[in-house]
């Protein structure tokens, strides 16, 4: 017999009979639930829990694991693959975390594939009805440059997740981190998808990112948030800090404001109903991430029976570190309102913007600051951001220097 | 043309074209901009450094966006789970598998899951280290793929637990893996080897050797062995896994492409390749051959032929041949590996039988049909191994009342087993027909055994990377039944063992039978 020539027993009656003859008449084991020894989060062990729990083999010092002994091979210098020292927070049981959305591979890609099909249908429908015709020309520049800059923001946060995916200490956490990173990558790509979509319908709208990158890297509007993203991506090693700063501070404040309060709110005023639709997916992903962050940093870390106090102190220290840079980023960004052409008070007036900032900061305080007992002076934070709208501080994009209006 | 008020941004003539034609955006139309997603900044450094320099402009071959990836993978998942849960369920497929092979899947699925899970972190390590956005994108897709494969391999155990005739061992594989001696090697080769080291070294282990070389016998050849033994479940899952592996092999190829212009690459690459090949082959050559040949009633072909086809001809010949233009050469350890492909799985098999109470599968001794096949394909097999199996059978190997433990017999007869410290693979110098050269080193008051110079060299260069205790040292002095209990080795009645030395439903060993013997785990390193 050679490879490729063997008989498939399922189609060979003689072999079927031989196998039947040696098979037990009755099942030998009654316990048919895989991973039956895992403590379920709810009443019954879910398929997500069965497939995920303890898939990771770690050294026995990884809190909550079931392994016995050391890693068989370690990094040069002697650190293990999933090591406690990769984060300042401590968990009695890292394996207790559960993604509130119970995502394992199949449900996760199924949902994203549905999002993709929905986007495809939306683009076909929107182009069929000529939705771009409603977009005012004054807004097109924002879609070229500022919306393009959002690509870099999302892409930078996505890349900050690489070491977090590597380092995170349990299977449940790692799966969640990787899928959350995947969403961030998707969010960056979906911004570019819209820009390509627009380029197919609007004369002279080029989907390239040259000018967007110029503004992202040079304009004071984005200097603050760009520095925050760069620090997180290139200069932050603690994976817990990366996740907390990404989702509980930077994206919860800056990302929410830019997506919801700026683009989703302002775009329709310029006849753009396409951008709010595209951003609804990224906003949805941010809410999914919020659920996981609250579960991990709240239920599992801030309320850890042994290390809760320590963890709260660490997470508050991270908040002290990342809140000011995020606020600086948003303070810079609100300078953009001064550049909105023909903008009415209703969309760009100081009080309206302030309401938006307040919504975001209040949400942040409710969703995250309270979780770790962080004293948040919402009014003070709002005022700090709003100082970016003061005429003396209003930023202008450097990009204007290289751009000649068509006349 | 109308002038536009300064907005601070590009102002374009937004003449609408044929705006009412339905249009959408293809993945490739977005992917072509991916290289522009990156910007340069001062502190843009990798957290996991490599001694190589990964190029900025390296491209990926599969060019997927997140949405396109999800579309493609969701279809594969729908097909796979549809087949498993609709088609195969109705055919009662789990109970049409030869019981011997169903036991093999307790091991295979669990082994592979180790690799797939640890490859999540390994791919993330590369995503962190790569400079090029396209290369990062390729590694990210692999991160997500590996979650898929980890779930899929777990699902094989899940499926057999729910539908098969012996759920024990399928229903708690990870618990058993945490202690079991059979898993130390896989944790090194398919675990830490993928994610604990220089990122390029990990890529060579994961993508260039494990995936480009060993997934072919492990995943492709295995499906044929499975199907010929009545298992249609495993091929349904494993062939679906293999559809992603091509992307991972391409990632490995691109890793080499990305570093090859770095002059330092010439200094390190072939050494890293040899270490990676040795790491993978030291475990997989014996283990795969053992599982294929000793757990099948119906055999496909001798393992060394499969090994020659996939490892020697396909991988070392064709795949490495493609990389020859970059200065990549065949690993020097390939020659020894080729010799090992004939005998090393038999060497491991006899030790696996000897340690049967510590496993989580039922395993009967080779019968006359097996023995004839082994002797025909491996002349001299009976004299070395077969006669021992026959003797064990006479001494009551299968009988729970016999008080016979083959591991005790080995020691009594001077066949001392050791564990190779770096690979985690057990070996017995007196029994081995494969390459085996016992070496014992002492360092800081601890003794370490090695079965060849390749592992010994890795240890001598970086001993701090190999600090784990081997199984025999770790459990030295434990009474055997204590280890079995600690590893979750009992069935749900609380006394019958999961592991059995036969496949019958009667006369099953209980923990009391083991306890009555009172064997204590010896540490052979103290016998010197």
């Amino acid at each position: 017999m050679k490879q490729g020539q063997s008989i498939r027993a399922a189609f060979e009656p003689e072999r079927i009979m031989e196998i039947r003859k040696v098979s037990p008449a009755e099942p030998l084991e009654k316990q048919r639930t895989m991973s039956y020894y895992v403590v379920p989060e709810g009443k019954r062990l879910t398929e997500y829990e069965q497939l995920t729990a303890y898939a990771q083999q770690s050294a026995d010092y990884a809190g909550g694991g079931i392994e016995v002994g050391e890693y068989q091979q370690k990094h040069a210098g002697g650190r293990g693959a999933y090591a406690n020292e990769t984060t300042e927070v401590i968990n009695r049981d890292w394996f207790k975390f559960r993604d509130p959305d119970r995502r394992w591979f199949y449900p996760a890609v199924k949902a994203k594939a549905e999002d993709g099909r929905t986007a495809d249908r939306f683009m076909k429908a929107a182009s069929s009805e000529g939705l771009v015709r409603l977009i005012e020309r004054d807004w097109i520049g924002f879609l070229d440059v500022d919306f393009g800059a959002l690509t870099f923001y999302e892409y930078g946060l996505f890349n900050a997740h690489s070491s977090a995916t590597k380092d995170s200490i349990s299977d449940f956490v790692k799966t969640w981190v990787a899928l959350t990173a995947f969403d961030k990558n998707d969010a960056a790509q979906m911004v570019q998808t819209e820009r390509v979509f627009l380029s197919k319908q609007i004369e002279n709208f080029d989907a390239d990112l040259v000018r967007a990158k110029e503004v992202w890297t040079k304009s004071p509007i984005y200097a603050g948030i760009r520095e925050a993203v760069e620090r997180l991506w290139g200069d932050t090693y603690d994976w817990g800090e990366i996740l907390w700063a990404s989702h509980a501070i930077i994206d919860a404040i800056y990302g929410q404001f830019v997506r919801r309060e700026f683009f989703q709110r302002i775009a329709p005023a310029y006849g753009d109903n396409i951008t709010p639709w595209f951003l609804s997916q990224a906003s949805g992903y941010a809410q999914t991430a919020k659920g996981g962050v609250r579960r991990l940093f709240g239920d599992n870390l801030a309320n850890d029976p042994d290390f809760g106090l320590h963890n709260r102190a660490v997470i508050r220290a991270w908040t002290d570190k990342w809140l000011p840079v995020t606020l600086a980023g948003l303070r810079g960004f609100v300078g953009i309102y001064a550049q909105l052409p023909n903008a009415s008070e209703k969309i760009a007036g100081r009080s309206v913007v302030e309401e938006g900032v307040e919504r975001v900061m209040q949400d942040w305080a409710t969703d995250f600051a309270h979780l770790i007992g962080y004293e948040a002076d919402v009014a003070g934070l709002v005022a700090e951001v709003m100082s970016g709208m003061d005429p003396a501080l209003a930023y202008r994009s450097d990009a204007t220097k290289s751009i000649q209006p068509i006349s | 043309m109308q002038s536009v008020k300064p907005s601070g941004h590009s102002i374009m003539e937004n003449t609408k074209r044929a705006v009412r034609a339905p249009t959408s955006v293809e993945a490739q139309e977005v992917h072509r901009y991916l290289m522009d997603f990156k910007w340069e900044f001062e502190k843009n450094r990798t957290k996991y450094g490599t001694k190589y320099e990964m190029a900025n402009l390296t491209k990926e071959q599969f060019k997927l966006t997140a949405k396109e990836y999800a579309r493609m993978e969701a279809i594969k998942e729908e097909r796979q789970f549809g087949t498993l849960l609709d088609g195969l369920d109705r055919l009662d497929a789990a109970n049409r598998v030869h019981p011997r092979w169903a036991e093999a899947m307790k091991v295979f699925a669990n082994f592979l899951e180790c690799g797939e899970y640890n490859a999540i972190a390994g791919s993330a390590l590369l995503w962190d280290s790569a400079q090029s956005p396209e290369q990062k994108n390729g590694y990210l897709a692999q991160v997500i793929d590996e979650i898929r494969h980890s779930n899929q391999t777990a699902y094989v155990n899940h499926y057999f637990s729910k539908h098969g005739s012996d759920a024990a061992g399928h229903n708690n594989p990870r618990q058993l893996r945490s202690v079991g001696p059979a898993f130390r090697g896989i944790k090194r080769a398919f675990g830490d080897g993928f994610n604990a080291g220089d990122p390029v070294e990990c890529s060579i282990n994961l993508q260039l050797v494990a995936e480009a070389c060993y997934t072919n016998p492990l995943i492709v050849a295995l499906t044929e062995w499975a199907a010929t033994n009545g298992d249609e479940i495993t091929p349904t899952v494993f062939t679906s896994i293999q559809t992603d592996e091509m992307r991972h092999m391409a990632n490995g190829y691109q890793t080499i492409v990305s570093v090859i212009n770095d002059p330092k690459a010439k200094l390190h690459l072939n050494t890293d390749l040899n270490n990676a090949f040795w790491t993978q082959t030291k475990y997989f050559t014996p283990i795969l051959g053992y599982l294929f040949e000793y757990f099948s009633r119906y055999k496909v072909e001798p393992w060394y032929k499969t090994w020659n086809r996939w490892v020697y001809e396909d991988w070392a010949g064709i795949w490495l041949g493609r990389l020859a233009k970059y200065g990549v050469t065949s690993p020097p350890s390939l020659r020894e590996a080729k010799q090992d492909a004939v005998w090393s799985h038999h060497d491991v098999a006899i030790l696996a039988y000897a340690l049967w109470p510590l496993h989580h599968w039922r395993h009967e001794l080779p019968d006359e049909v097996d023995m004839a096949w082994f002797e025909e394909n491996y002349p001299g097999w009976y004299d070395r191994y077969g006669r021992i199996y026959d003797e064990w059978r006479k001494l009551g190997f299968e009988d729970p009342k016999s008080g016979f433990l083959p591991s005790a017999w080995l020691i009594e007869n001077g066949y001392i087993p050791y564990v190779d410290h770096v690979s985690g693979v057990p070996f017995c110098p007196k029994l081995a027909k494969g390459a085996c050269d016992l070496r014992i080193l002492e360092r800081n008051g601890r003794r370490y055994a090695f079965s060849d110079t390749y592992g010994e060299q890795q240890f001598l260069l970086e001993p701090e990377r190999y600090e784990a205790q081997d199984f025999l040292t770790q459990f030295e002095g434990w009474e055997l039944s204590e280890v079995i209990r600690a590893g979750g080795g009992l069935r749900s009645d609380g006394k019958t063992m999961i592991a059995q030395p036969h496949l019958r439903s009667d006369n099953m060993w209980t923990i009391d039978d083991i306890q009555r013997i009172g064997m204590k785990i010896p540490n052979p390193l103290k016998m010197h």
Side-chain angles (χ1 to χ4, degrees):
Chain A
M1 190 75 71
K2 282 184 175 176
Q3 186 185 323
Q5 298 176 353
S6 56
I7 295 165
R8 288 173 70 183
F11 301 98
E12 183 64 34
E14 200 177 313
R15 200 167 280 190
I16 290 171
M17 293 311 293
E18 284 175 13
I19 292 174
R20 191 169 292 173
K21 206 178 286 179
V22 294
S23 296
E26 295 292 328
L28 298 178
E29 173 60 49
K30 289 179 182 164
Q31 177 51 271
R32 288 186 170 276
T33 303
M34 187 192 168
S35 304
Y36 59 85
Y37 54 91
V38 174
V39 178
E41 181 190 38
K43 283 183 183 170
R44 301 178 70 177
L45 205 57
T46 61
E47 208 163 44
Y48 157 66
E49 288 172 311
Q50 290 179 53
L51 297 180
T52 310
Y54 306 120
Q56 177 169 299
Q57 314 96 60
S58 30
D60 52 17
Y61 45 77
I66 58 172
E67 296 282 329
V68 179
E70 252 288 11
Y71 293 100
Q72 297 298 302
Q73 174 187 306
K74 297 189 279 190
H75 284 281
R79 187 158 64 74
Y82 316 115
N84 289 334
E85 61 267 28
T86 51
T87 181
E88 281 296 313
V89 283
I90 308 170
N91 202 341
R92 181 197 261 191
D93 187 354
W94 286 108
F95 296 77
K96 207 175 166 186
F97 170 78
R98 299 290 187 274
D99 180 345
D101 290 276
R102 295 177 182 172
R103 287 182 301 176
W104 52 289
F105 183 84
Y106 186 22
V109 292
K110 196 174 172 197
K112 196 168 284 302
E114 283 163 6
D115 286 351
R117 279 194 288 272
T118 308
D120 185 59
R121 281 194 292 271
F122 170 79
M123 285 189 276
K124 284 175 179 156
S127 51
S128 290
E129 64 171 315
L131 211 54
V132 292
R133 292 175 301 181
L134 277 62
I135 301 177
E136 291 178 22
R137 66 177 55 202
D138 291 347
W139 181 245
I140 299 291
F142 285 84
L143 293 175
D144 176 24
V145 175
D146 298 284
F147 192 55
L150 193 55
T151 303
F152 301 108
Y153 163 80
E154 298 283 16
Y155 186 69
L157 287 190
F158 150 68
N159 275 308
H161 287 69
S162 57
S163 62
T165 305
K166 155 72 172 80
D167 292 337
S168 43
I169 301 180
S170 80
D171 28 53
F172 283 112
V173 178
K174 195 178 298 295
T175 302
W176 173 77
V177 175
L179 293 174
T180 302
F182 195 46
D183 281 345
K184 272 286 168 220
N185 186 45
D186 189 16
Q189 291 174 350
M190 286 307 285
V191 171
Q192 186 58 8
T193 302
E194 178 184 333
R195 296 178 77 258
V196 172
F197 178 62
L198 294 175
S199 75
K200 289 181 162 187
Q201 299 168 85
I202 301 174
E203 195 73 44
N204 292 334
F205 186 97
D206 195 332
D208 76 40
L209 287 155
V210 175
R211 287 161 42 69
K213 190 181 290 188
E214 183 186 349
V215 168
W216 170 251
T217 53
K218 293 179 181 163
S219 167
I221 294 267
Y222 295 103
I225 198 61
R226 180 172 50 76
E227 282 168 23
V229 171
E230 289 173 356
R231 273 180 71 181
L232 196 68
W233 175 1
D235 206 26
T236 306
Y237 286 72
D238 185 311
W239 65 268
E241 181 180 353
I242 289 169
L243 294 174
W244 178 256
S246 287
H247 300 287
I249 303 183
I250 297 175
D251 208 46
I253 295 173
Y254 180 88
Q256 274 296 86
F257 186 87
V258 172
R259 286 190 297 263
R260 188 180 73 199
E261 302 294 341
F262 185 75
F263 281 107
Q264 287 189 316
R265 186 161 183 282
I266 302 279
Y270 288 95
D272 174 11
N273 294 304
I274 294 171
T275 301
W277 190 93
F278 268 89
L279 284 179
S280 65
Q281 291 193 344
S283 297
Y285 301 151
Q287 294 308 303
T288 302
K290 182 179 87 179
V293 169
R294 283 175 53 83
R295 180 68 59 85
L296 178 62
F297 288 89
D299 298 348
N300 292 72
L301 291 168
N303 297 327
D304 185 284
D306 297 328
F307 306 107
L309 279 177
H310 163 86
N311 290 337
R312 282 166 189 260
V314 170
I315 301 167
R316 282 198 289 263
W318 288 339
T319 308
D320 282 337
K321 177 179 167 185
W322 289 99
L323 186 59
V325 293
T326 304
L327 292 176
L330 189 53
R331 189 169 65 236
F333 182 77
V334 296
I336 203 170
Y337 284 91
Q339 300 178 13
L340 285 171
N342 302 320
S344 68
E345 279 292 304
K346 213 172 164 185
I347 61 165
R350 187 179 179 94
S351 62
V352 174
V353 176
E354 188 166 356
E355 282 173 19
V357 174
E358 193 173 349
R359 266 194 296 275
V360 168
M361 295 313 307
Q362 193 58 60
D363 286 353
W364 173 77
T366 306
D367 292 340
F368 298 109
H370 293 172
L371 200 64
I372 52 158
Y374 190 87
E375 294 295 329
D377 169 18
V378 171
L381 298 175
V382 171
E384 193 178 336
V385 172
M386 289 306 294
S387 67
M389 283 194 82
D390 294 343
L393 296 174
Y395 294 117
R396 308 292 295 179
S397 168
D398 285 350
T400 53
K401 291 176 187 166
S402 61
I403 294 165
Q404 296 300 316
I406 298 166
S407 60
Chain B
M1 206 167 285
Q2 192 179 349
S3 77
V4 181
K5 290 183 183 176
S7 65
H9 303 287
S10 172
I11 306 302
M12 297 178 201
E13 174 52 40
N14 55 342
T15 310
K16 312 298 189 297
R17 279 195 224 153
V19 288
R20 298 191 64 212
T23 187
S24 185
V25 174
E26 299 294 325
Q28 296 307 309
E29 294 178 284
V30 177
H31 187 279
R32 63 183 282 245
Y33 293 101
L34 213 62
M35 294 298 267
D36 297 326
F37 280 22
K38 181 187 175 187
W39 70 99
E40 300 299 332
F41 58 94
E42 194 184 345
K43 289 187 172 174
N44 186 5
R45 60 177 184 238
T46 174
K47 287 157 199 162
Y48 283 95
T50 168
K51 57 182 179 277
Y52 298 89
E53 192 169 317
M54 297 177 88
N56 251 328
L57 297 174
T58 309
K59 298 292 179 74
E60 61 168 330
Q61 293 180 21
F62 281 83
K63 303 187 186 302
L64 295 171
T65 60
K67 289 288 198 307
E68 175 64 5
Y69 172 90
R71 182 194 69 77
M72 191 177 75
E73 295 293 334
I75 290 170
K76 288 199 257 179
E77 291 285 276
E78 282 161 12
R79 285 178 184 163
Q80 174 193 263
F81 285 108
T83 304
L84 288 171
L85 299 174
D86 278 350
L88 293 177
D89 244 14
R90 291 177 196 188
L91 294 172
D92 192 22
N95 290 308
R96 290 166 173 254
V97 181
H98 195 287
R100 260 195 194 185
W101 186 259
E103 296 301 313
M105 288 316 301
K106 291 178 182 174
V107 197
F108 270 126
N110 204 350
F111 277 2
L112 192 52
E113 184 196 81
C114 274
E116 304 294 1
Y117 180 82
N118 286 294
I120 299 171
S123 311
L125 181 71
L126 287 158
W127 157 26
D128 182 69
S129 299
Q131 300 299 313
S132 150
E134 277 203 24
Q135 206 176 359
K136 282 178 181 289
N137 196 55
Y139 294 142
L140 170 73
Q142 184 165 352
V143 167
I144 308 300
D145 279 347
E146 306 295 8
I147 294 175
R148 174 176 195 242
H149 301 172
S150 177
N151 291 165
Q152 284 174 293
T153 44
Y155 203 85
V156 171
N157 280 135
H158 182 279
Y159 193 90
F160 274 105
S161 295
K162 222 173 177 56
H163 305 286
S165 59
D166 187 16
H170 284 300
N171 60 12
N172 64 339
R174 292 154 181 168
Q175 193 180 26
L176 298 155
R177 187 170 70 195
S178 67
V179 169
F183 289 94
R184 304 301 169 100
I186 192 80
K187 286 174 184 172
R188 199 267 163 147
F190 253 35
D192 304 328
F194 290 171
N195 60 29
D198 180 292
V200 174
E201 172 199 327
C202 290
S203 166
I204 294 171
N205 260 288
L206 168 61
Q207 295 157 338
L208 199 63
V209 182
E211 289 175 323
C213 179
Y214 278 102
T215 59
N216 285 314
L218 176 56
I219 300 179
V220 180
L222 179 140
T223 58
E224 189 171 3
W225 283 84
T228 202
N229 284 280
D231 177 6
E232 294 289 326
I233 297 151
T234 302
T236 301
V237 177
F238 279 35
T239 50
S240 189
I241 289 175
Q242 193 66 7
T243 60
D244 299 319
E245 295 295 339
M246 188 52 77
R247 188 164 51 236
H248 305 177
M249 296 176 201
N251 277 343
Y253 189 85
Q254 293 306 102
T255 304
I256 302 301
V257 169
S258 79
V259 302
I260 207 65
N261 288 326
D262 172 18
K264 293 192 295 298
K266 291 183 175 55
L267 296 175
H268 305 304
L269 197 55
N270 286 316
T271 304
D272 281 349
L273 176 61
N274 188 51
N275 284 338
F277 178 70
W278 181 89
T279 298
Q280 300 302 322
T281 207
K282 185 75 183 170
Y283 187 77
F284 278 100
T285 295
I287 297 301
L288 291 181
Y290 158 60
L291 290 168
F292 285 158
E293 292 185 353
Y294 286 83
F295 283 81
S296 54
R297 172 75 289 169
Y298 311 106
K299 303 190 196 316
V300 175
E301 66 177 1
W303 162 238
Y304 68 85
K305 288 188 179 174
T306 312
W307 193 96
N308 267 342
R309 183 179 309 109
W310 288 113
V311 180
Y312 199 71
E313 294 170 9
D314 186 81
W315 180 76
I318 299 171
W319 188 249
L320 289 188
R322 287 179 63 193
L323 290 165
K325 61 188 172 195
Y326 300 121
V328 174
T329 57
S330 285
S333 56
L334 185 64
R335 196 178 58 179
E336 285 98 323
K338 197 169 189 309
Q339 292 163 356
D340 267 5
V342 181
W343 290 110
S344 66
H345 61 296
H346 301 302
D347 294 340
V348 157
I350 199 162
L351 294 177
Y353 278 115
L355 297 173
W356 74 260
L358 290 165
H359 303 317
H360 66 281
W361 55 84
R362 299 179 299 140
H363 200 189
E364 61 186 2
L365 287 171
D367 61 14
E368 283 178 5
V369 177
D370 298 307
M371 288 196 174
W373 188 86
F374 283 130
E375 190 58 31
E376 184 187 340
N377 289 287
Y378 301 93
W381 178 89
Y382 182 82
D383 282 347
R384 178 59 65 105
Y385 313 100
R387 63 176 182 80
I388 296 177
Y389 293 134
D390 275 345
E391 187 169 348
W392 287 357
R393 203 188 318 270
K394 280 183 206 154
L395 291 169
F397 182 87
E398 297 180 353
D399 181 5
K401 306 300 171 210
S402 68
F404 175 75
L405 282 179
S407 49
W409 183 94
L410 281 182
I411 292 167
E412 283 161 16
N413 287 276
Y415 297 111
I416 310 296
Y418 299 86
V419 178
D420 180 81
H421 183 66
V422 169
S423 69
V425 176
F427 66 102
C428 176
K430 197 174 165 187
L431 263 179
K433 270 177 87 82
C436 182
D437 177 16
L438 172 65
R439 319 165 79 83
I440 294 177
L441 293 181
E442 192 162 325
R443 180 177 180 271
N444 292 340
R446 277 179 66 185
R447 285 182 171 186
Y448 303 92
F450 301 93
S451 57
D452 61 48
T453 53
Y454 292 110
E456 185 187 20
Q457 283 167 5
Q458 291 187 22
F459 176 79
L460 288 171
L461 279 171
E462 298 176 293
E464 78 281 2
R465 296 182 70 185
Y466 308 101
E467 290 180 328
Q469 291 179 314
D470 66 69
F471 177 84
L472 297 173
T473 305
Q474 189 172 18
F475 291 99
E476 178 188 355
W478 284 50
E479 193 272 308
L480 194 55
S481 68
E482 293 173 334
V483 187
I484 295 165
R485 285 182 198 277
L490 299 183
R491 291 166 184 267
S492 57
D493 65 7
K495 64 172 190 172
T496 308
M497 291 166 57
I498 294 173
Q500 295 291 330
H502 58 75
L503 294 176
R504 295 190 310 275
S505 306
D506 60 344
N507 265 342
M508 291 174 81
W509 286 61
T510 67
I511 196 69
D512 298 337
D513 299 321
I514 295 291
Q515 198 170 350
R516 202 165 44 242
I517 298 170
M519 182 182 178
K520 299 216 165 162
I521 305 278
N523 186 352
L525 289 169
K526 290 194 174 166
M527 296 177 183
H528 288 266

